Amino acid sequence: MMNFLEERIVKDGIVKEGNVLKVDSFLNHQMDIALFDKIGQEFKERFKDKKINKILTIEASGIGIAAVTAMHFGVPVVFAKKAKSINLEGEMYVAEVESFTHKTKNQVIVSKKFLNEEDRVLIIDDFLANGCALQGLIQIVQASGAVAEGIGIVIEKGFQPGGRIIRNLGYQLESLAIVDAMDPASGGIIFRR
Ligand code: 5GP
């Protein structure tokens, strides 16, 4: 049986060459906010035992999902900003992140004003592929002295190494859909059960 998100991926997702799943009609360009609300509710359920006081994500595609999820937790959202390497002073946490979709390296930054050792953070993102974006966010949380209580991902591509790497680090990583295989020729998608 497929969950609500898997059903939507099958209906509206498009499998592209290069291991890219296009979901821009509902997730990361046009956004279906009723779907985001169900995603947020599901993250709340999966992390109900954790004392989370802040959600951390990365611009741009994580922000909408994190914002709607934050309504379910009653906490603020901080998003890491992609920065040019100029003018990074001491009041920022910085991590290097390689973009899966654009193959470019970005520095991402979070102001020290918005993350510190009192924070218990839920990290949220739209996709998990190689895990580079998540590792950057984890690095920022560690640098701040905060605790990463968990990680919520909307779509994990289970045939890429990110999920295994992050789970091996000991984090509670919850992916609402895990794609184990997808075929650009037929458009077929196989989910992990
Ligand atoms: P990672 O850093 O885990 O390799 O890639 C995660 C980031 O790349 C996500 O924030 C997401 O924006 C983007 N990404 C990775 N794979 C896909 C994909 O198949 N489709 C889309 N639309 N974005 C992806």
Side-chain angles (χ1 to χ4, degrees):
M1 216 188 69
M2 283 192 286
N3 69 32
F4 68 95
L5 179 64
E6 293 166 340
E7 278 171 6
R8 188 59 178 271
I9 294 167
V10 167
K11 182 167 160 273
D12 292 330
I14 299 165
V15 181
K16 295 282 184 187
E17 297 289 340
N19 291 330
V20 172
L21 177 62
K22 218 166 173 207
V23 287
D24 61 353
S25 67
F26 61 95
L27 194 69
N28 54 23
H29 192 154
Q30 178 168 254
M31 302 187 288
D32 180 340
I33 300 304
L35 181 82
F36 282 24
D37 195 48
K38 289 175 88 169
I39 288 169
Q41 201 180 332
E42 183 64 27
F43 283 140
K44 176 65 188 170
E45 174 60 27
R46 295 193 190 202
F47 294 104
K48 61 171 183 272
D49 300 332
K50 304 276 189 174
K51 281 211 181 74
I52 286 156
N53 76 325
K54 199 163 281 184
I55 291 179
L56 177 67
T57 188
I58 182 166
E59 72 173 354
S61 333
I63 295 175
I65 300 154
V68 176
T69 298
M71 291 293 293
H72 291 270
F73 285 84
V75 302
V77 175
V78 175
F79 64 93
K81 294 185 173 211
K82 291 169 182 159
K84 300 276 180 307
S85 32
I86 44 152
N87 201 21
L88 295 176
E89 290 128 52
E91 56 273 7
M92 319 269 198
Y93 306 112
V94 185
E96 186 100 346
V97 171
E98 187 168 349
S99 161
F100 177 84
T101 34
H102 303 106
K103 308 292 175 216
T104 54
K105 279 200 172 176
N106 273 305
Q107 281 182 314
V108 298
I109 59 163
V110 170
S111 167
K112 289 187 178 173
K113 277 188 292 189
F114 303 126
L115 206 59
N116 63 52
E117 62 282 347
E118 312 207 321
D119 288 319
R120 304 175 74 160
V121 179
L122 175 62
I123 297 174
I124 293 282
D125 205 4
D126 60 341
F127 269 93
L128 172 55
N130 293 325
C132 205
L134 275 190
Q135 293 199 71
L137 293 176
I138 289 169
Q139 222 177 298
I140 284 173
V141 171
Q142 284 175 338
S144 75
V147 177
E149 290 286 346
I151 300 170
I153 294 291
V154 181
I155 305 173
E156 173 179 340
K157 288 182 293 178
F159 54 88
Q160 291 175 316
R164 186 170 28 80
I165 294 167
I166 301 294
R167 290 188 181 93
N168 282 343
L169 292 171
Y171 292 99
Q172 181 185 347
L173 166 61
E174 299 284 345
S175 300
L176 303 191
I178 303 180
V179 174
D180 267 339
M182 55 187 205
D183 177 22
S186 67
I189 298 170
I190 295 168
F191 295 104
R192 189 171 301 176
R193 298 276 49 110

